[in-house]
Amino acid sequence: NTHGYLPNLLKLIFTDSDQSSVTMNAKKLKPSLCSEVEVMHAWVGACEAGDMAMVSLLLPVVERGEGGVNCTDRLGMTGLMAALETGQLDVVELLLGHKDTDFTVKDCQGRTALDFVLSSKSICFIKTILDVFEEKLSFEELQEVLLPRLETCALENKMEHFMKMLVYYDVNYKEGFLLYTLISHGKAKYSQAVINLFKHDIVIQDSHKESFLMALRKGETHMVRPLFHYFKDQIKRILKEPKILGSSDTITNVKGEIFTFL
């Protein structure tokens, strides 16, 4: 138990030689018999350590206490957060299946269960958590949660995590700010991933043009090539319109617009 909050009373119950009496005592135990704060810390510590025996013992206790399975330690961490941080997959699986688990709880640093998944090497459970976020949050709330985390994943080169979240994202949120950020930071691989996924949904904004020109001025050809390929497709669609092809004046105007853009 890395937190060091394990009440003597719980130790005595856990070391009882009769396992059936352990279960019975655990069910009867109420947080009021010892400090509820200690129980909460013991719970988070057991989840962090992946001690399934202690987790099973404490589960009926915390369910009766304030906050239930979402109770927190002094750092604001829930048992789920602690288990995700240390990679205790058995504990995570147990808590993900619990009907009262709240994935939107924030610790003292403002992190949710999603942040702990994103900071890990494994992408296990990320879809489960995102599905819950999508169900419980409004459209605006979900986009607000996803945007900074997508940017962080791109900056930290976590492509798998990035792609898992991207399918829940609206590419035109905040006037396409994600794509603008990716282009501005020279994240060609990530901007290409966004373009590939949302190719027919992207609404080209002035910010995109600005970032494209910024990449041109910097000589960042690795950014320009995939982006120009996308814009070129848009230009081709315009030029294939019969009405445009039938008017030399219109073609001249279109070419002028293209030149101005570049």
Side-chain angles (χ1 to χ4, degrees):
N1 185 333
T2 56
H3 283 264
Y5 290 99
L6 192 58
N8 290 331
L9 177 60
L10 294 175
K11 285 185 179 178
L12 290 172
I13 294 174
F14 184 59
T15 54
D16 194 313
S17 58
D18 182 356
Q19 185 59 42
S20 63
S21 68
V22 170
T23 305
M24 182 176 66
N25 289 337
K27 288 181 179 178
K28 290 180 179 180
L29 184 65
K30 294 181 180 179
S32 59
L33 294 178
C34 57
S35 168
E36 186 164 353
V37 174
E38 283 186 312
V39 173
M40 292 161 65
H41 283 287
W43 164 253
V44 176
C47 293
E48 182 181 29
D51 188 339
M52 286 300 293
M54 186 57 70
V55 168
S56 300
L57 180 69
L58 288 170
L59 182 57
V61 181
V62 296
E63 284 177 331
R64 289 177 170 82
E66 185 179 350
V69 294
N70 303 302
C71 64
T72 61
D73 64 7
R74 58 189 173 79
L75 300 176
M77 289 183 64
T78 64
L80 176 60
M81 292 177 187
L84 285 168
E85 185 174 47
T86 55
Q88 307 299 342
L89 301 187
D90 289 341
V91 179
V92 172
E93 203 164 336
L94 171 70
L95 293 176
L96 286 179
H98 196 286
K99 60 183 178 65
D100 295 326
T101 299
D102 185 352
F103 303 108
T104 62
V105 173
K106 295 180 181 179
D107 71 357
C108 295
Q109 297 181 47
R111 299 173 297 179
T112 66
L114 178 59
D115 293 299
F116 286 93
V117 172
L118 296 177
S119 64
S120 69
K121 294 180 180 179
S122 172
I123 59 172
C124 292
F125 310 119
I126 187 171
K127 185 179 185 304
T128 302
I129 292 176
L130 286 169
D131 284 342
V132 174
F133 270 64
E134 186 176 41
E135 179 185 345
K136 294 191 174 182
L137 300 179
S138 68
F139 170 79
E140 285 291 331
E141 288 172 335
L142 179 62
Q143 302 310 307
E144 191 175 339
V145 164
L146 294 178
L147 178 56
R149 289 161 178 82
L150 283 165
E151 292 172 333
T152 299
C153 284
L155 294 175
E156 294 179 354
N157 288 319
K158 290 186 174 182
M159 178 58 85
E160 284 188 290
H161 298 72
F162 182 87
M163 293 304 299
K164 287 286 184 182
M165 279 195 295
L166 192 59
V167 296
Y168 294 82
Y169 188 69
D170 178 359
V171 69
N172 297 312
Y173 178 64
K174 286 197 173 179
E175 299 184 345
F177 188 76
L178 175 63
L179 188 55
Y180 166 77
T181 302
L182 296 175
I183 299 170
S184 300
H185 285 85
K187 291 294 181 180
K189 185 169 64 173
Y190 290 86
S191 60
Q192 183 68 68
V194 172
I195 289 170
N196 289 343
L197 185 62
F198 299 110
K199 189 169 185 178
H200 302 296
D201 300 318
I202 297 173
V203 176
I204 300 302
Q205 306 287 345
D206 287 340
S207 61
H208 298 146
K209 298 177 183 179
E210 179 186 331
S211 59
F212 184 75
L213 292 171
M214 189 188 305
L216 281 173
R217 283 195 292 270
K218 290 180 181 178
E220 295 178 341
T221 55
H222 64 293
M223 289 300 305
V224 173
R225 286 193 190 104
L227 291 167
F228 184 68
H229 176 74
Y230 172 67
F231 292 127
K232 182 179 68 177
D233 288 344
Q234 284 193 323
I235 293 167
K236 280 182 179 178
R237 285 198 295 273
I238 294 172
L239 294 177
K240 284 180 180 178
E241 289 290 330
K243 291 181 180 179
I244 292 177
L245 292 175
S247 167
S248 58
D249 289 339
T250 306
I251 291 175
T252 301
N253 289 336
V254 170
K255 286 181 178 178
E257 289 176 11
I258 294 170
F259 180 77
T260 302
F261 169 75
L262 291 175

